[in-house]
Amino acid sequence: MQSLRNVLLIAAGAGLAGAGYEAAAQDRPLSGDFPEVYRVGGMNAPEWAFFEGSSDVAFDAAGNLYVLDDEAGHVVVVDPRGGLVRTTGRKGEGPGEFRTAMELVVWRDGRFAVSDVGHAAYQVFSAEGEFERFVKMSAAEGPMAMFTGARSGIKADPLGDALIAQGAPSAMGQMAGMLAEAMGGDAEVEDAGVDDRGLERLALDGDVASSTPVLWRVPREEDKQDLRPEDLTDPGAIVGIFGDIRYFEPGFFWDLLPDGTIAWSDSSAYAIKLAGPGGEVIDVLTRPIPPEAVTRSIREGTIADAIRQMESEFEDQAADPELAQAREMMAAMMPDMMKTMREEAENREFYEEIPVVRGVRATWDGGLWIQRGGEEPWKDEGPIDVFGADRRYVGTFAAGSPEMPAAFGPDGLVAYWEFDEMDVPTIVVKRLPEGVR
C-alpha cells in the first residue's frame, strides 16, 4: 500500500493552481538515434584526452565541454569541435592545485568550481581558467573539515555565485564526532547543515561557504544506534553506519532547471515535484504508472543481486593497485567485514513497494528526463520519459536507447562516456533533436 506520506505529497501538489499535467497511460516511443558531433579520448588519444575513467563533465553556454580529470588533477576544456581549449590546475598543495578533486560544476558563463575534499574547500575559477578564490567547506580544521563540510552532491546555482548541494548522510556527522573524540578533541562538531534528505544553498562569496537550507524533505523513519569511538574497529558497527536503508526505499533524485526551479522525486509514486528557489512546491508532474508490490521472488532476487555486486566490488578493489595501502591497513578486518556485509544484505528490510522513478535530470532548455526502473526491479536503467519545458509529456526512450547523458549543453549537445573492451574511456558528444531538448 502506498505510504501516507506519498499520498499527502501528491494530493498537496494536485491542489495547486496549474499543477499536475497528466500524461497518457501508454508510452509514446521516441527515437534515441542522435547524430554524433565529435569524440575525444580512447586508446590513441593525445595526452590531454587520455582520461583514466568517467568523472564529472559539464557544458558552458558557448558549447565548450569541461572535464574533471581527477586522475591527472586538472580540468580539461574542449571546444565545440572537439579541440583542446586549455587545461586548468594540477595536483598539489597550493591555490589552484588539487589534492583530491571530487566534483566539478560549471556556470553558463564559463566560470567553474571544483570540490576538493583533500583541501576541504571549493576552488573557484574564472571563465578564462584563472584561479579566483579558495572557499572552505566548513569552519572546522583538520580532518573534521572534510566530515563537517561533506555533501552528497553539488550543482551550480543558475541564479548566482553559489552552489545547490544535497547534504551528506547523518552518519557522517556521527563519524566526525567519533573521530574528534578518538583524537582527544571535543566530540561536539560543527553542524553540517541539512542531511541527505534536503538541499541547501552554499554562497561562495566568503572565505567559508555559508549554508542556507532551501528544501527539507520528510525525515526517514530510522532508529540509529549511538556510536562510540571503539566502533571504528568493529566491522559490524562500520557496516551498520550506512546499512540501515531498506531495499527499494525511495531515493532522492533532483536537478535544477535554468530558472532555478528544483525538480525532484522522493517517493515510490510517479510524482516529480517542482519547487521555486525558496523550496515552495509549485507543480507536480505525474504519469499513471503505479509502483509495483514487493513479492517473495523479488526479495530473493534482490538479495542475490546485492551479494553479487558486493563480491564483484571487493574483487575489483583487490585488483586496484591504488588501494594497496588501504587493503593492508584493513586486512585484519576484511574477513569479518565481508561476513557482516553478507549478513546485512540477507537481513536488510524491504520497503513495501518498488519506486517507479530512478533518476531526474534537467535539460539545458528546461525540459526534464525522468528515468524509470529497469526490467528487473533492482535495476535502475529503465526507460526515460521526456517532459518539455512547458511541463507536458513528450514521449519515452526505450531502456538503454539512449542512456542518461553525463551532461546536457546548448543547441541540443549531450555528452556520454563510452568504454572499449579494455575499459579505456571516450567522451562522445551528440546532438538532440529539438523535440527532446
Side-chain angles (χ1 to χ4, degrees), residues 86-324:
R86 73 178 74 90
T87 62
T88 297
R90 62 182 180 181
K91 289 190 174 181
E93 300 297 317
E97 298 177 340
F98 307 124
R99 285 183 183 171
T100 310
M102 293 294 290
E103 293 182 272
L104 166 73
V105 297
V106 179
W107 287 272
R108 294 196 171 201
D109 61 6
R111 292 175 301 119
F112 64 95
V114 174
S115 170
D116 183 351
V117 297
H119 280 111
Y122 303 106
Q123 301 206 45
V124 183
F125 297 82
S126 71
E128 292 72 37
E130 298 295 327
F131 172 77
E132 288 190 342
R133 60 191 182 280
F134 192 89
V135 184
K136 295 178 63 177
M137 293 179 177
S138 79
E141 300 293 338
M144 295 304 99
M146 181 177 68
F147 281 97
T148 60
R151 271 86 186 181
S152 295
I154 58 174
K155 299 181 188 294
D157 184 352
L159 300 183
D161 187 17
L163 307 173
I164 301 298
Q166 180 179 351
S170 57
M172 294 293 288
Q174 294 187 30
M175 290 182 69
M178 288 191 297
L179 286 172
E181 186 175 341
M183 293 186 295
D186 188 352
E188 292 296 324
V189 298
E190 176 189 0
D191 185 2
V194 302
D195 64 10
D196 59 335
R197 295 178 291 257
L199 301 178
E200 57 189 336
R201 186 178 191 270
L202 301 177
L204 301 180
D205 52 0
D207 294 333
V208 179
S210 60
S211 168
T212 303
V214 295
L215 182 66
W216 288 97
R217 299 167 54 224
V218 177
R220 182 174 64 235
E221 294 180 4
E222 57 187 348
D223 183 18
K224 274 191 172 295
Q225 59 179 327
D226 291 329
L227 299 172
R228 303 161 299 172
E230 52 265 34
D231 290 331
L232 293 173
T233 59
D234 179 359
I238 293 175
V239 172
I241 289 174
F242 298 101
D244 64 326
I245 299 178
R246 293 169 289 181
Y247 288 115
F248 299 125
E249 184 160 327
F252 180 32
F253 307 107
W254 63 280
D255 207 347
L256 299 173
L257 296 173
D259 64 356
T261 296
I262 304 166
W264 85 96
S265 168
D266 65 350
S267 70
S268 57
Y270 197 119
I272 312 302
K273 273 77 74 175
L274 300 176
E280 69 284 0
V281 177
I282 56 178
D283 208 345
V284 180
L285 308 184
T286 68
R287 291 202 66 205
I289 303 174
E292 181 181 357
V294 176
T295 64
R296 179 177 178 178
S297 62
I298 289 175
R299 290 172 184 263
E300 293 172 350
T302 302
I303 292 171
D305 181 72
I307 292 174
R308 282 195 300 269
Q309 288 195 46
M310 177 187 69
E311 293 174 345
S312 176
E313 289 174 4
F314 269 87
E315 289 175 2
D316 292 343
Q317 292 170 6
D320 189 340
E322 294 187 3
L323 298 177

